[in-house]
Amino acid sequence: GAGVSQSPSNKVTEKGKDVELRCDPISGHTALYWYRQSLGQGLEFLIYFQGNSAPDKSGLPSDRFSAERTGGSVSTLTIQRTQQEDSAVYLCASSPDSKNEKLFFGSGTQLSVL
Amino acid sequence: QKEVEQDPGPLSVPEGAIVSLNCTYSNSAFQYFMWYRQYSRKGPELLMYTYSSGNKEDGRFTAQVDKSSKYISLFIRDSQPSDSATYLCAMTNTGGFKTIFGAGTRLFVKA
């Protein structure tokens, strides 16, 4: 595809359930980022991948959050035992290299935890 | 104190007005300064990108960076209803992998 693809676009889940969010970056982009956007808030950095490696996981809000990237392409963000405060838009972005001045974002996954 | 401060607005202007959007920041290591535009239910898209201090113009848009004051601006000339969106400033440092975003300013341009 031409752009960053995220799925699902919307996810409603019950408190305590696990969810998986998927990101397909632009083909050939080596860097991949996950951000979280809460209502009225800026983008909160979660994690960055260069290839399949994540040099810094300190942005993940808690140990309920994990992410992986396989084959230098698709990435999955997993949230275990979801809480209401996890409700937000989860945005994925990719960049052609590790110079992150130009990020290409997907449309995001709107997560609602009831 | 946040690393990047941005007035969330909303800012409402008539069509044809000049719009000024601003951010301040605290980290003097920031070297790259960006403006992203975000339409409702969409991801942000890169609008302007500037390295270090100075001005950059692209059509109706002008980005300014004043590193001595730690202040960046985006000017929109002859604003159009299609410019109605949220504008996020963003910045990063050389060799850094984390782009820091402002909270975004919501802009409404009335026809």
Side-chain angles (χ1 to χ4, degrees):
Chain A
V4 177
S5 178
Q6 291 188 247
S7 60
S9 56
N10 285 281
K11 177 70 177 178
V12 180
T13 190
E14 294 179 350
K15 178 182 173 181
K17 300 284 189 182
D18 297 351
V19 296
E20 282 190 356
L21 312 179
R22 178 187 168 104
C23 173
D24 280 277
I26 294 173
S27 177
H29 280 196
T30 59
L32 185 146
Y33 307 80
W34 284 98
Y35 283 84
R36 180 168 71 175
Q37 186 174 33
S38 302
L39 190 63
Q41 303 294 313
L43 274 65
E44 175 189 4
F45 172 84
L46 298 180
I47 194 169
Y48 152 73
F49 288 92
Q50 180 59 38
N52 292 335
S53 300
D56 187 340
K57 301 181 180 179
S58 63
L60 295 175
S62 74
D63 58 8
R64 296 186 295 104
F65 288 72
S66 63
E68 66 175 11
R69 188 180 185 194
T70 56
S73 181
V74 172
S75 177
T76 302
L77 178 68
T78 301
I79 309 174
Q80 296 178 311
R81 304 182 304 280
T82 51
Q83 304 294 312
Q84 288 184 331
E85 61 263 27
D86 299 334
S87 296
V89 176
Y90 289 82
L91 290 161
C92 175
S94 68
S95 180
D97 51 36
S98 59
K99 299 176 184 177
N100 59 321
E101 311 91 65
K102 301 178 182 179
L103 302 181
F104 296 82
F105 282 88
S107 292
T109 294
Q110 173 72 63
L111 176 65
S112 300
V113 182
L114 305 179
Chain B
Q1 183 186 4
K2 294 181 180 179
E3 280 190 283
V4 179
E5 298 279 359
Q6 183 176 12
D7 187 339
L11 178 63
S12 183
V13 301
E15 183 176 0
I18 296 175
V19 176
S20 173
L21 305 168
N22 312 291
C23 288
T24 59
Y25 63 95
S26 57
N27 188 345
S28 58
F30 288 143
Q31 294 281 352
Y32 298 92
F33 303 90
M34 292 75 73
W35 286 93
Y36 285 81
R37 178 175 60 194
Q38 185 176 24
Y39 291 112
S40 181
R41 303 184 193 281
K42 297 291 185 182
E45 59 177 332
L46 182 65
L47 193 61
M48 297 285 286
Y49 155 73
T50 308
Y51 173 70
S52 195
S53 286
N55 295 358
K56 186 173 185 178
E57 188 174 322
D58 184 0
R60 297 185 294 111
F61 299 89
T62 299
Q64 287 187 352
V65 175
D66 181 350
K67 291 192 69 180
S68 63
S69 301
K70 296 189 179 67
Y71 188 87
I72 70 170
S73 301
L74 177 70
F75 297 95
I76 307 174
R77 292 182 298 280
D78 188 25
S79 56
Q80 303 295 309
S82 59
D83 295 328
S84 298
T86 297
Y87 290 80
L88 301 112
C89 63
M91 46 202 79
T92 188
N93 56 309
T94 302
F97 55 81
K98 187 188 299 187
T99 299
I100 306 299
F101 285 82
T105 299
R106 194 155 185 197
L107 172 67
F108 295 96
V109 181
K110 298 179 179 178

